Amino acid sequence: MQDIELIADAMMGEALRFGDNSRYLNGALDTLSSEAWELIKGNIIIRENLKKRTLDSLLQASKNNKLLRKPFHWPLEFPEVFTTDGGGFDAIVGNPPFMGGRRMRGSLGDGYVKWLSTSWPHASLNADLVSFFYLRATALLKVSGEFGLLATKTIGEGDTARTGLSYIVVNDKIRIRHAWSSFTWPGKASVTAALVVGHKGDWKGLKVLDGNIVKSISPALDDQEGWGEAKSLSANKDKSYQGSVLRGKGFILSNDEVNYYLKIRSENKEVIFPFLSGEDINSHPKQKASRWTINFKDLDLEECNKKWPELLERLRKLVKPERDKGRNEEDRKNWWQHWRKRDKLYNQIKEKDQVFAISRVTKYVMITSVNTNQVFSDAVVVLDLPSWASFSALQCSFHELWVRRESSSMKRDIRYTPSDSFDTFPFLHLIYESLESIGKKYHKLRQQIMLSRNEGLTQTYNRFHNPGEQSDDIKKLRKLHVDLDKAVAKAYGWEDLKLNHNFYETKYGIRYTISEDTANKVIQLLLKLNHELCKEESKFASKIKTKSKKRKPLPNSKKGEIQLNLFE
C-alpha cells in the first residue's frame, strides 16, 4: 500500500509542478508510468529516486518552498466507497474555507493555484476558494448523493458562482433543492454567509429558498431562470476601463505635498495630476479628487531625472524598495512608472473634456460625469459612453437590477465588474432624444442636491431610499427617477410594463424601486434581448468575414479603420 501511495503522491507532485504546461506534464506522467511498474516489482533504486523527486516536487509547489504538502487520495483512504459501481459518497457536509481569489496565490503558493487551473480549466482565479470545494464535493458524490455546504454569500455571485454552482448545475446535474441565500454568521466573524444543499441527479421533491417553497433555485441563489447565460456584446467592447494600478504609495501626494513640490520647482506641475478614487466619486459633493499622483507615463528614467529630480528621488525612496520585492521582472521593471498605466484608456478619452465613471465598490449604481484631465485609480471604472442617452440607460433601475444579479458583492456593496455588469448589458441601441434630455436633467438635479447639502452620492441615495426622508428636493429626485425609468422602458419597447415604483424591502435593505414581480420580468426581458443582439452580432461578423475574404483591401486603407454599427 505504501508504494501505491507513493505513486499517487508522485502523480500529484508532477501535476503541481507542471500543471500549466501540458507537454511537460504528459512527459512526466509517461515517465512515472514506466517507473510505477518497476516500483511494484520491487525496484529499490526506483523507489528511493521516486521518493526524492516527489519530495522535491511537493516542496517546490508549496508556498515559498517551505511547507511540504501531503496529498490526500480519496480512493485510497475510502476504497469501500469508490471501488463499487457508481462509487461515491452518499452525503458530504461541511464548512469549507473561503478566501478571495486574488489572495490565493500569495497565501497558498503558485503551485496550488496552477493545480486548480489544471483540474478545472473553466475556473476563474478571481473566484473564491470555497467554489473549488463545491467542485470537489460534487466529484466525490455518487449519483443521488447530496452535499450540504456553507459558504459566504458570494457563492451565488459573479466569478465564484460561474466557477462553482453554475458549472456543477450545468455539467454535473446538481440540483439545488435547499438554500439560504444570505444570513449573518452567528459567530464572531463579521461575514454574510450562505448555505446550499445540492442533489446529484434528478430531484422531484420540494425546493426551498430562504424558507419559501419555490419552483426552482438558480446558481445565483434566487428563483429566477437564466443566470450566467448572458453573453458579452461586441457593441460594448472597449467602452469600459478599470483605472490605473500604481503599485507604490509613494506616487500619491496630499495637497500639502503638492504645494511643497511646486515651490521647489514649478515644472513639477507637468507630471502631478489629480488622482480620483472610488471614495471620491461616492463621497465628494463634486466627485472631486482628494489626492494627487506623480505620473511619468512612458517617460524614461534619464528624462525624468533631468526634468523632475525631486519627484524621481521621492519615488526612488518610497516606491522602488516596494517594487524590488516583486516576484517577477515585470514588478521590478520601470519602477518610476505606474504598474498598470492603462494607456488604452487614456488614449481613448484624450480628446474629451468629460467622461462617465462609477466606483468599482459602491452601495448603489451611481454613474456620474467627471473631468478627464486626471488619473483614475483602479477603484474606478471609466465608461466611454457615446451620449447622455447611454447615461440614462445605465442610471435607471433596470441596470441596477442587472448589475446586482450578474456581479459579486462586498458585504452589501456592489462590485461593479465591467465583464459582468457592463459588457453583457444591452443598451447602446437606445439613442432616443428623450433619453438624452432626461439624462442631462437627472444629472443636473442630482448635482444641485449634493452641492446644496454638501453631501456625496452615497449620502444622497441613502436619503433617496429612506421612506422617512420627505424633503422636497429628494421627492423631486424620486419623481425624476420614475420618469427616467419610464423613458428607458419606452425606449426598450416595454410601454405596457407596470413599474409600480414604491419602497420595498429587498435583500439589500429598503429600496425605492420597481416591484419584485416587475423586476423579475425585466431581468428576463433583458436576458432575451442580450441573446438576440448577440445572435445579430454573430451574423453580422460572419458576413463581414465572408466579404473580407472575397474583397481586396482598398488603396490607402488602414487596418482597423472600418467602424461596425449593428444598429444602422
Side-chain angles (χ1 to χ4, degrees):
M1 191 64 178
Q2 288 183 342
D3 286 344
I4 300 298
E5 288 185 357
L6 176 58
I7 293 169
D9 285 352
M11 185 166 61
M12 284 301 304
E14 302 296 13
L16 286 169
R17 186 158 57 129
F18 297 122
D20 59 340
N21 190 314
S22 59
R23 184 165 66 90
Y24 282 106
L25 176 59
N26 289 334
L29 294 179
D30 286 343
T31 301
L32 179 60
S33 177
S34 300
E35 292 173 327
W37 283 110
E38 292 297 320
L39 178 62
I40 292 173
K41 289 189 290 185
N43 190 318
I44 298 175
I45 297 176
I46 289 291
R47 179 182 291 112
E48 294 306 313
N49 288 340
L50 193 56
K51 279 183 179 180
K52 183 179 184 305
R53 191 169 82 240
T54 299
L55 178 64
D56 290 342
S57 295
L58 293 175
L59 274 173
Q60 183 178 335
S62 68
K63 183 185 176 184
N64 300 325
N65 298 338
K66 293 179 180 179
L67 179 63
L68 177 64
R69 298 192 185 280
K70 181 64 178 78
F72 187 90
H73 308 290
W74 292 92
L76 298 183
E77 299 295 337
F78 299 96
E80 71 279 10
V81 174
F82 293 97
T83 55
T84 60
D85 290 339
F89 289 107
D90 294 301
I92 296 175
V93 179
N95 179 12
F98 40 87
M99 178 187 297
R102 297 192 177 186
R103 292 172 49 208
M104 286 196 297
R105 192 177 297 275
S107 299
L108 302 175
D110 289 339
Y112 188 83
V113 173
K114 289 177 182 178
W115 177 79
L116 292 177
S117 297
T118 302
S119 300
W120 295 285
H122 77 281
S124 167
L125 293 183
N126 288 324
D128 195 289
L129 176 63
V130 72
S131 62
F132 294 95
F133 280 82
Y134 275 67
L135 293 169
R136 173 56 72 205
T138 298
L140 296 173
L141 287 176
K142 71 176 186 181
V143 175
S144 79
E146 294 192 344
F147 65 70
L149 299 174
L150 288 164
T152 62
K153 73 182 185 71
T154 57
I155 192 65
E157 298 174 350
D159 288 331
T160 300
R162 269 182 280 278
T163 293
L165 287 179
S166 182
Y167 183 84
I168 60 179
V169 164
V170 173
N171 295 279
D172 297 314
K173 295 184 178 180
I174 289 292
R175 300 295 174 258
I176 303 172
R177 68 169 186 82
H178 186 100
W180 287 94
S181 60
S182 66
F183 61 92
T184 301
W185 184 251
K188 294 182 180 180
S190 178
V191 63
T192 303
L195 182 146
V196 180
V197 177
H199 180 90
K200 195 170 187 178
D202 293 333
W203 175 256
K204 304 298 184 182
L206 294 177
K207 295 177 181 178
V208 181
L209 174 64
D210 296 332
N212 301 310
I213 296 175
V214 295
K215 291 183 179 180
S216 64
I217 304 175
S218 78
L221 300 187
D222 62 20
D223 59 353
Q224 298 301 303
E225 298 178 352
W227 188 91
E229 296 178 8
K231 310 296 182 183
S232 293
L233 299 171
S234 298
N236 295 23
K237 187 179 180 181
D238 295 335
K239 289 182 173 61
S240 62
Y241 302 89
Q242 183 182 346
S244 305
V245 182
L246 306 191
R247 188 65 69 86
K249 294 181 180 179
F251 285 109
I252 299 174
L253 303 173
S254 65
N255 289 328
D256 289 341
E257 287 173 322
V258 170
N259 292 331
Y260 168 76
Y261 285 111
L262 292 183
K263 285 180 181 178
I264 293 176
R265 190 183 301 272
S266 61
E267 289 82 4
N268 284 335
K269 66 182 180 182
E270 298 171 1
V271 290
I272 295 178
F273 292 83
F275 184 57
L276 188 70
S277 69
E279 181 63 23
D280 294 328
I281 288 178
N282 289 343
S283 301
H284 196 285
K286 294 182 179 180
Q287 288 73 62
K288 184 179 178 181
S290 58
R291 298 176 297 171
W292 304 74
T293 183
I294 301 167
N295 185 15
F296 287 137
K297 300 181 180 178
D298 289 317
L299 298 174
D300 61 42
L301 191 62
E302 184 178 353
E303 183 175 358
C304 294
N305 189 49
K306 181 179 179 181
K307 293 183 177 180
W308 310 285
E310 298 85 8
L311 294 177
L312 184 65
E313 184 58 26
R314 173 190 173 90
L315 300 186
R316 195 187 305 276
K317 290 180 179 179
L318 300 180
V319 174
K320 190 174 186 300
E322 182 178 342
R323 290 282 192 90
D324 286 343
K325 296 176 183 178
R327 292 180 301 169
N328 51 56
E329 178 63 23
E330 187 180 14
D331 292 335
R332 301 184 292 272
K333 187 179 179 182
N334 298 337
W335 53 265
W336 64 96
Q337 299 174 2
H338 294 168
W339 188 63
R340 292 286 184 265
K341 298 186 287 293
R342 308 299 190 204
D343 293 334
K344 191 173 183 179
L345 159 62
Y346 297 108
N347 287 334
Q348 184 83 2
I349 65 175
K350 64 183 179 183
E351 302 297 330
K352 297 185 176 183
D353 295 325
Q354 297 286 125
V355 72
F356 295 102
I358 183 173
S359 174
R360 282 180 61 212
V361 178
T362 179
K363 188 175 181 180
Y364 314 102
V365 172
M366 304 177 293
I367 313 294
T368 190
S369 178
V370 295
N371 193 289
T372 57
N373 188 30
Q374 54 189 330
V375 173
F376 301 98
S377 87
D378 64 320
V380 173
V381 175
V382 179
L383 304 171
D384 184 26
L385 305 180
S387 68
W388 282 95
S390 297
F391 165 83
S392 295
L394 293 186
Q395 189 55 67
C396 77
S397 299
F398 311 147
H399 183 52
E400 176 143 354
L401 290 170
W402 185 264
V403 171
R404 287 193 181 277
R405 191 155 198 257
E406 294 294 322
S407 297
S408 60
S409 64
M410 178 182 288
K411 295 183 179 179
R412 284 195 170 188
D413 290 342
I414 300 165
R415 290 180 185 268
Y416 194 94
T417 308
S419 58
D420 300 331
S421 308
F422 183 89
D423 293 353
T424 59
F425 188 64
F427 76 102
L428 282 173
H429 60 299
L430 305 179
I431 53 177
Y432 300 94
E433 179 60 35
S434 59
L435 296 185
E436 190 82 9
S437 59
I438 199 170
K440 291 179 181 178
K441 185 178 179 181
Y442 186 95
H443 192 271
K444 183 177 180 180
L445 173 61
R446 195 177 63 184
Q447 277 187 316
Q448 291 171 348
I449 293 172
M450 288 188 290
L451 291 174
S452 65
R453 292 179 176 274
N454 195 33
E455 294 177 346
L457 284 167
T458 300
Q459 288 178 298
T460 299
Y461 281 99
N462 283 342
R463 294 181 181 276
F464 180 94
H465 292 291
N466 180 5
E469 179 61 74
Q470 294 297 321
S471 302
D472 289 342
D473 56 350
I474 300 300
K475 289 168 67 176
K476 189 175 180 180
L477 184 62
R478 289 185 192 129
K479 172 64 170 59
L480 191 55
H481 198 99
V482 172
D483 293 342
L484 177 70
D485 285 351
K486 288 180 177 179
V488 175
K490 183 178 180 180
Y492 275 120
W494 305 338
E495 293 94 337
D496 297 334
L497 194 64
K498 303 298 183 183
L499 300 182
N500 301 319
H501 286 83
N502 211 325
F503 291 99
Y504 296 98
E505 182 66 50
T506 73
K507 65 173 65 176
Y508 312 104
I510 296 176
R511 294 290 186 268
Y512 185 77
T513 185
I514 61 179
S515 68
E516 183 177 0
D517 288 343
T518 303
N520 293 338
K521 291 176 183 177
V522 166
I523 288 294
Q524 296 307 313
L525 287 168
L526 288 171
L527 184 62
K528 180 181 178 183
L529 181 58
N530 168 273
H531 289 175
E532 290 172 353
L533 293 179
C534 187
K535 187 176 180 180
E536 289 300 316
E537 287 181 342
S538 296
K539 287 182 180 179
F540 194 72
S542 296
K543 288 181 180 179
I544 294 297
K545 188 175 182 180
T546 301
K547 288 181 180 180
S548 66
K549 288 182 178 179
K550 295 179 179 179
R551 185 176 58 192
K552 293 182 179 180
L554 294 172
N556 300 322
S557 66
K558 296 179 180 178
K559 185 178 180 181
E561 277 190 339
I562 298 175
Q563 296 295 316
L564 306 182
N565 188 344
L566 175 63
F567 307 105
E568 284 184 349

